[in-house]
């Protein structure tokens, strides 16, 4: 049973329009903006995560902050979010938990998180605007950014040279390069789009400047068919119609062969994947090169990024302490230096504004051909993430619905435009059915 039903708002809550946008609001004083927590005495906060290396950092924190002890729980597993929902419902939730951006928006909509806007405000300046958007659906903050994964391009420089093509600067360039390579080798593909994974469309829509969800006063505007969204969809449609993309499934253990053996010669990727390639590309190691991700507008280059967060759950008795710990974990030099070390196996890339101290060590030394400055590519990607993107209240459910349709797109049984049109209607109807006011964008 969901808890989307609108609640009566007191005068303080009325200052935040998010309560109208999400229909369910959580408790939490959210009033402290001091550098130190407002509560006193020794407390213990339970923290769920499934990122390697995090437990070690909680031990460092506990040694340095004995007044706020963190009890770490490894919540790894496919049902982590279901267990979190059950824990909140039963009143046994941890104070903090790892959470991705789209699930944070859903938990907030269901009234399962604590508003920490006041406590968190002092830390906002340390993080990028897109990262802060991910923890603040509709404008109210429910967590602290943990990590980011900005997209850039990795391509087989040797095969690009063989086929007489260059790293694409725009998505139109990528289409043209794919066609040229295919003319010389009918079996080669410029890109991969797995039938179970519509993230390519999400990334391109973000990069094109689309806003599938937008908080507008007392309602959400849903725009899957805006000019920007359709422009992104057109690129995906061309990749499908012209046979330029392979369809290797990411659930297939042998998926890496499509790139390692040169059947697919480029990809958009991010930092956490680099050590995976270093292990799984034995034949092509040293032949890859990084470049900026293709863009839609060279005058306003954007890329996209997923975000990990540390959310504060409903019922947390010490949100000020929870916020302080979460900010330390994801922004202190001490913590980030440890977590970005490949030895930690966290795969974490920071969501802070200045990532320069942490870039060099995450780049595998033998993976790339050293013909481009990989560190600059990654730093540039981090600075280009579009800040217009918002996760809406039912984003996770919408994504599941999109996955059902995506396979039909890949099989040419459904056009991207028809899928987007259907998703727009589905999203508006679903939100309104949950007493969350939503309208389709004009």
């Amino acid at each position: 049973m969901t808890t989307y039903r609108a609640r009566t708002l007191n005068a303080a809550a009325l200052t935040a329009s998010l309560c109208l946008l999400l229909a369910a609001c959580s408790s939490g004083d959210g009033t402290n903006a001091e550098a130190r927590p407002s509560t006193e005495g020794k407390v213990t906060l339970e923290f769920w995560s499934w990122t390697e290396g995090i437990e070690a950092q909680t031990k460092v924190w506990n040694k340095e902050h004995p007044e706020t002890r963190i009890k770490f729980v490894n919540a790894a597993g496919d049902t982590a979010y279901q267990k979190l929902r059950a824990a909140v419902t039963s009143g046994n939730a941890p104070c903090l938990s790892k959470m991705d951006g789209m699930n944070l928006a859903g938990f907030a909509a269901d009234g399962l998180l604590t508003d920490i806007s006041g406590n968190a405000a002092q830390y906002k300046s340390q993080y990028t605007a897109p990262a802060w958007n991910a923890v603040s659906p509709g404008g109210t903050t429910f967590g602290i950014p943990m990590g980011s994964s900005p997209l850039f391009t990795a391509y087989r420089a040797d095969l690009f040279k063989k086929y007489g093509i260059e790293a694409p600067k725009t998505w139109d360039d990528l289409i043209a390069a794919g066609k040229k390579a295919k003319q010389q080798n009918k079996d080669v593909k410029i890109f991969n789009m797995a039938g179970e994974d519509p993230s390519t469309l999400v990334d391109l829509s973000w990069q094109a400047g689309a806003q599938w969800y937008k908080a507008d006063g007392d309602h959400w505007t849903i725009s899957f068919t805006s000019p920007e969204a359709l422009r992104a969809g057109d690129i995906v449609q061309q990749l499908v119609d012209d046979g330029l993309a392979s369809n290797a499934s990411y659930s297939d253990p042998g998926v890496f062969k499509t790139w390692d053996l040169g059947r697919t010669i480029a990809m958009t990727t991010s930092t956490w994947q680099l050590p995976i390639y270093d292990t799984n590309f034995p034949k092509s190691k040293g032949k890859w090169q990084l470049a900026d991700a293709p863009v839609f507008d060279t005058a306003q280059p954007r890329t996209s990024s997923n975000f990990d967060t540390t959310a504060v759950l409903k019922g947390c008795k010490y949100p000020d302490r929870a916020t302080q710990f979460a900010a330390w974990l994801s922004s202190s030099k001490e913590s980030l230096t440890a977590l970005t070390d490949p030895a930690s196996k966290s795969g974490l890339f920071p969501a802070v504004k200045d990532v320069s101290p942490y870039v060099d060590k995450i780049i595998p030394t033998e993976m790339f051909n050293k013909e481009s400055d990989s560190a600059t590519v990654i730093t540039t990607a981090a600075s280009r993430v579009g800040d217009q993107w918002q996760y809406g209240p039912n984003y996770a459910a919408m994504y599941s619905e999109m996955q059902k349709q995506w396979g039909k797109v890949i099989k040419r049984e459904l056009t991207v435009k028809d899928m987007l049109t259907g998703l727009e209607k589905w999203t508006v109807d679903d939100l309104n059915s949950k007493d969350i006011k939503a309208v389709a964008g004009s």
Side-chain angles (χ1 to χ4, degrees):
M1 179 177 179
T2 62
T3 56
Y4 279 96
R5 297 298 172 188
R7 299 177 181 179
T8 302
L9 306 180
N10 59 28
L14 283 169
T15 63
S17 63
L18 182 68
C19 292
L20 298 175
L21 292 169
L22 297 184
C25 298
S26 295
S27 60
D29 60 19
T31 58
N32 178 56
E34 298 298 323
R36 296 182 59 83
S38 58
T39 55
E40 298 179 356
K42 292 185 177 182
V43 303
T44 297
L45 309 179
E46 190 168 310
F47 172 37
W48 289 14
S49 183
W50 46 95
T51 297
E52 291 195 57
I54 294 292
E55 184 176 12
Q57 290 312 110
T58 64
K59 292 178 180 178
V60 173
W61 165 273
N62 286 341
K63 185 177 181 179
E64 298 178 356
H65 302 80
E67 75 286 356
T68 306
R69 179 178 175 274
I70 302 299
K71 178 184 176 182
F72 178 84
V73 175
N74 187 337
D78 295 337
T79 60
Y81 289 123
Q82 293 93 314
K83 290 179 180 178
L84 271 174
R85 286 180 174 273
V88 176
T89 301
S90 64
N92 297 312
C95 196
L96 303 117
S97 178
K98 170 178 174 167
M99 197 169 290
D100 60 40
M102 69 178 179
N103 274 288
L104 183 143
F107 271 65
D110 285 350
L112 304 179
L113 302 181
T114 292
D115 175 0
I116 60 167
S117 298
N119 290 310
Q122 61 190 305
Y123 304 112
K124 181 178 179 180
S125 63
Q126 299 179 48
Y127 302 93
T128 66
W132 201 258
N133 286 347
V135 296
S136 306
T140 299
T141 304
F142 294 97
I144 296 293
M146 184 66 217
S148 64
S149 51
L151 283 194
F152 44 85
T153 296
Y155 66 100
R156 282 286 300 272
D158 58 326
L159 297 181
F160 266 54
K161 182 177 181 180
K162 176 181 178 180
Y163 298 130
I165 55 179
E166 298 180 350
K169 297 184 183 304
T170 68
W171 285 103
D172 287 336
D173 290 343
L174 182 132
I175 296 294
K179 290 179 178 178
K180 186 174 181 179
K182 187 178 179 181
Q183 288 173 353
Q184 299 173 66
N185 183 344
K186 63 181 178 60
D187 295 322
V188 75
K189 308 293 183 182
I190 193 73
F191 207 71
N192 184 70
M193 295 193 298
E196 76 279 3
D197 180 16
S199 61
T200 296
L201 180 60
V202 175
D203 292 331
L204 267 69
S205 299
W206 193 327
Q207 293 166 24
Q211 286 183 282
W212 286 357
Y213 291 82
K214 182 180 179 182
D216 274 338
D218 66 346
H219 67 277
W220 289 90
T221 298
I222 308 302
S223 301
F224 286 77
T225 56
S226 67
E228 295 85 359
L230 293 179
R231 187 179 183 189
D234 180 62
I235 293 295
V236 172
Q237 193 67 62
Q238 289 183 66
L239 287 168
V240 172
D241 290 347
D242 294 333
L244 303 179
S246 54
N247 305 129
S249 172
Y250 298 122
S251 63
D252 180 358
V255 65
F256 298 108
K257 291 181 179 179
T258 189
W259 293 287
D260 192 34
L261 300 180
R263 295 194 291 261
T264 304
I265 60 176
M267 68 179 96
T268 50
T269 190
S270 194
T271 51
W272 66 271
Q273 295 161 306
L274 299 184
I276 299 174
Y277 303 146
D278 194 43
T279 301
N280 289 281
F281 287 3
K283 295 184 180 297
S284 59
K285 186 176 291 188
K287 299 176 181 179
W288 289 86
Q289 188 167 328
L290 295 187
D292 296 336
V295 300
F296 285 91
D297 183 355
T298 56
Q300 191 175 7
R302 290 189 188 92
T303 192
S304 56
S305 173
N306 291 322
F307 291 100
D308 274 337
T309 79
T310 302
V312 179
L313 279 297
K314 178 183 178 181
C316 180
K317 296 179 179 179
Y318 304 99
D320 55 337
R321 305 285 190 97
T323 305
Q324 182 191 30
F325 164 71
W328 175 89
L329 185 65
S330 63
S331 67
S332 71
K333 184 177 181 180
E334 180 178 24
S335 178
L336 289 180
T337 298
L339 289 173
T340 55
D341 188 327
S344 76
K345 298 182 180 180
S346 74
L348 183 133
F349 187 73
V352 295
K353 289 180 178 177
D354 182 12
V355 298
S356 58
Y358 313 108
V359 174
D360 285 337
K361 61 185 175 182
I362 69 173
I363 303 170
T365 56
E366 298 179 2
M367 183 66 203
F368 303 106
N369 64 8
K370 298 180 175 59
E371 293 298 318
S372 66
D373 187 338
S374 297
T376 297
V377 170
I378 295 171
T379 303
T380 298
S383 70
R384 285 183 173 182
V385 178
D387 62 4
Q388 89 288 355
W389 194 259
Q390 292 181 295
Y391 294 107
N394 64 347
Y395 191 101
M398 177 280 299
Y399 193 88
S400 294
E401 182 66 21
M402 181 166 53
Q403 284 182 299
K404 298 175 185 177
Q405 307 299 323
W406 180 251
K408 297 178 182 179
V409 170
I410 297 300
K411 295 177 182 177
R412 303 184 192 181
E413 298 171 356
L414 180 70
T415 67
V416 179
K417 183 176 181 180
D418 284 346
M419 183 184 74
L420 288 171
T421 301
L423 280 174
E424 183 172 280
K425 183 180 186 304
W426 183 94
T427 303
V428 170
D429 290 347
D430 183 66
L431 288 174
N432 283 318
S433 74
K434 295 176 171 69
D435 292 339
I436 302 174
K437 186 177 180 181
V439 299
S442 56

